[in-house]
Amino acid sequence: MADRAEFLQKVRHRTQRGRYKPTNAPDVAWTPKDEPRHSPQVEDPPARFLEELEALGGHGVRVASVDEARDHVLSVVRERGANLLVRWDVEELEALGVDEPLGRAGVGVAVWRDLEDFREVAGKADVGLSTAAWAVAETGTLVLEGGPGMGRSVTLLPPTYVAVVRVDQILRTVPEAIEKYSGGPLPANVCFHTGPSRSGDIEMSLFVGMHGPGDVHVILVG
């Protein structure tokens, strides 16, 4: 019952009228097929990605090295007062090396492998950490692929979500991202995540963090 009461309290908190305001995100996600594949106005993809992400209510930063990326992840975890982080089981995050310093700080780390109940662990986590296959500059979108060690719950259930992406994984436009999946075998799933979760299906009011993380951070490396 305590969990149910806590859940309902979170819903009441997030749905307070006037608490959240619509963003000024550009309506350019879906362009006609005859539009040019490369948008000439995206001259600096990393800068444009961060600009669009901030417009959506997300938080972005560009760092020069993996060490700086690790420090930024630790900073987000510390600022949110997190007790548990769940992350994908991928080489990039092993190299990032957040497990040991988080452990020393008393923060638990659950890796998406050999968990008895994946969704229960992800549901209890304060922070989810993943990489991304691609990032789209013109919309501030992350393209996430599913596969072994890369559970979707990590990116959906924790209230704070952090993604670490190399600068060379940034594409200029959505059509460029879609083109990556044409004519070949597809991953188990491909998801386009654009900023914090939001819903406007209740009285046409926009709520952030209703069906997924309301606190989204993207760290660009390179």
Side-chain angles (χ1 to χ4, degrees), residues 30-181:
W30 308 107
T31 53
K33 292 182 179 179
D34 56 355
E35 287 290 322
R37 290 291 184 181
H38 300 282
S39 179
Q41 69 271 22
V42 184
E43 297 179 352
D44 185 343
R48 177 67 178 272
F49 177 87
L50 295 176
E51 178 184 351
E52 299 300 335
L53 180 66
E54 294 285 344
L56 292 162
H59 308 281
V61 63
R62 182 176 181 178
V63 299
S65 66
V66 172
D67 288 344
E68 290 184 45
R70 179 180 59 248
D71 291 343
H72 195 79
V73 172
L74 299 178
S75 175
V76 171
V77 171
R78 183 170 54 251
E79 290 172 359
R80 269 52 183 177
N83 296 311
L84 177 63
L85 176 145
V86 61
R87 69 167 176 83
W88 279 2
D89 182 17
V90 295
E91 291 183 3
E92 293 92 334
L93 297 185
E94 290 288 344
L96 189 65
V98 299
D99 298 6
E100 185 175 335
L102 286 177
R104 288 199 302 268
V107 179
V109 177
V111 182
W112 197 257
R113 79 166 90 91
D114 299 330
L115 297 177
E116 292 185 1
D117 190 325
F118 295 95
R119 285 181 295 182
E120 181 179 355
V121 172
K124 292 180 179 178
D126 304 294
V127 178
L129 175 64
S130 82
T131 57
W134 307 103
V136 181
E138 69 171 351
T139 57
T141 299
L142 294 173
V143 183
L144 306 178
E145 297 180 359
M150 300 188 295
R152 291 179 58 191
S153 298
V154 171
T155 69
L156 294 175
L157 295 184
T160 294
Y161 168 57
V162 182
V164 180
V165 185
R166 299 192 314 272
V167 165
D168 62 9
Q169 292 173 288
I170 301 176
L171 306 174
R172 285 178 168 76
T173 67
V174 171
E176 283 184 55
I178 294 175
E179 187 72 24
K180 294 291 183 181
Y181 299 98

Side-chain angles (χ1 to χ4, degrees), residues 182-202:
S182 63
L186 291 171
N189 64 68
V190 179
C191 299
F192 286 59
H193 287 218
T194 304
S197 168
R198 59 194 62 218
S199 173
D201 58 356
I202 301 175

